[in-house]
Amino acid sequence: MLGKRAAAALALSLAAGAANATSLDVTSSYKMNAEAWHNLGLDRSSPDAVNDRSFVDNDARLGVAVRGIELENRGGEEETLDIGLKLHALGVAGSTVPAAAPFNRAAAYYPSADLTPFIENAYLRVHHLFGRRLSATFGRQSFRLGSGLLLDDDGAGLTGVSVSGKPWGDLGLEGFYFNSDNPNPNVSKPNSLDLFGMSLSLPTDGLWQLNQLFERDRSQQTLDGGWQISKALRSFTSVRYQLNYGPMVFDGEAAIEKGAATPTGAAPASNHITFNGNAEIIRAKWKQRLYRTGEGIARLSLARGTGDRGDTLTTDEAFFPSHGHRYDGLNRDGFGQFFGATPYDAWGGNFSSSTVSGLRQGTSGIIIVGAGYTPPAYKGIALDIDYYLFQAERVQSGSRTLGSEWDLGLRYAVMGRFTLSASAAFFSIGAASNPARGSAKKFTFQASGRF
C-alpha cells in the first residue's frame, strides 16, 4: 500500500512539474485613432486636390501562445516548444478611407483593412534546438532586422523561418528566410519576393550589429527612372550601433544597396540595370533631471536616403528596400506626424504620381533633420514638442525643400498599459512638393491599451 501511495505521489508531482513548466499566455491590445487631415494633397488649386479626411480607425490584436512544452533533453539542455497564434484587425468602420489615396498604400500592405481579422502570427518556436543555444521559429512571425531600416513586417507578419543563437560567447547570430510579395504600387500582381539574410551582434560598451538582406524579386515593375524590369536581385548591407549610457541614448544605422535587374523591352547597352544607393539614420536622446520639476528629454534625429540621379540611365541610385519600416496600421510611422517620412518615401500629397517614393516626378530621396524636447511631466501629463525639416536628396531642377513640420502632443500614460494622447501637426509645404507652397495640418486623438 505504501509503495502504491508513493508511486501515486511521484506521478502527481511529475504531472504538476510538467504543468508548471508549460504556460498559457494571452495578450491583447486595442488602439483607436480619431484623425482629421487637412490638405493631404498639398494642393489648394481645387476642392478635389485638397483631399481633406476625417475618420476613426481601429487597430486590434488578440494573441494566444502555449510556452514551454517539453520535448526532450539533449546535451544537458531541455528542448522546449512554443506554439503561438495572433490575430490582427485594422479598419475604418463605415468609411471608404482605406481605398482612398494615400491611405490605400498602407491598406494594400496588410492582408485586410476592413476590420476583418487576419493572421499576423502562426508559428512554432523551438528553444535549445539540438541541445544547443539555438532558437528556431517556423511559420508566420513578427520580424525586424536592425532598426527596421532594411526590413520590418510592420504588424503584417512574414512567413518563413528564422534561427538565432549565441554560438561563440556573447556573439549573437541570426539567419532568416521569408517569402512575401512586393507591396510597392508600381508592381504588377501577383508577384513573389524572397527575403533572406543574416545578422551578427556583438555587445561592447554598446551593441554593434552587422545586417545583411537579399531581396530576390520576381515581379514586373517600373523603376523611378522609367525602366520596366521583370526580375531583380538587391543586396542591402548595414552597420548599426546602439548605446544606452547614463542620461544618453544613441541609435544609428548606415546601409548600402547594390544589385541588378533584368529589363523588359529594349535592353540598355549593359543588358541590365544596376542598383547603387545608401542611407543613414540616427536617433539620439539626452535625459536631464531638472531642479524640483523632474526629468526633461531632448532628442535629435537625422536621416538620409539617396535618390535616383536621372543622368545615369542604367543605374538606379534610389535607396529603397521593399519592406523597410513605414507603417503603424493605416498610418505612417516615420519622421513627422503629418509627412511621416523615411529615408526612402513619405506621406502627405503628390500621390497622383506613379513614383514609388510618393514624391513629385523628378524628385527622389529624402533628407530629414529633426529636434524635439519633452519637459518634465505635470501631474502625469507629458508635453512633446518636435520640429522637422525635409529636403529632397535629388531634384531635376528647382528647390529641394519638401517642407517643414511642427508637432505638438500631450500624453497621459498609466503603467505603460493605458494611454491617452492628443496631438497637432502643422506642415509648411516646400517648393519641391508644390511650387505654390501653402500649408497642411493633422489633428489626432488616440486611446490605447494593452494586456
Side-chain angles (χ1 to χ4, degrees), residues 90-138:
L90 299 167
V92 181
S95 175
T96 59
V97 163
F103 304 102
N104 57 342
R105 291 199 174 188
Y109 186 83
Y110 297 93
S112 67
D114 58 357
L115 281 176
T116 300
F118 61 87
I119 296 177
E120 180 181 348
N121 290 167
Y123 63 83
L124 303 173
R125 179 172 296 142
V126 182
H127 301 277
H128 296 124
L129 183 64
F130 306 126
R132 300 185 179 276
R133 294 196 297 172
L134 293 175
S135 294
T137 305
F138 304 89

Side-chain angles (χ1 to χ4, degrees), residues 374-397:
T374 300
Y378 177 73
K379 294 186 177 180
I381 300 175
L383 170 66
D384 298 320
I385 306 170
D386 291 277
Y387 174 79
Y388 298 96
L389 175 65
F390 308 101
Q391 288 194 322
E393 207 272 338
R394 299 278 183 182
V395 294
Q396 289 184 353
S397 63

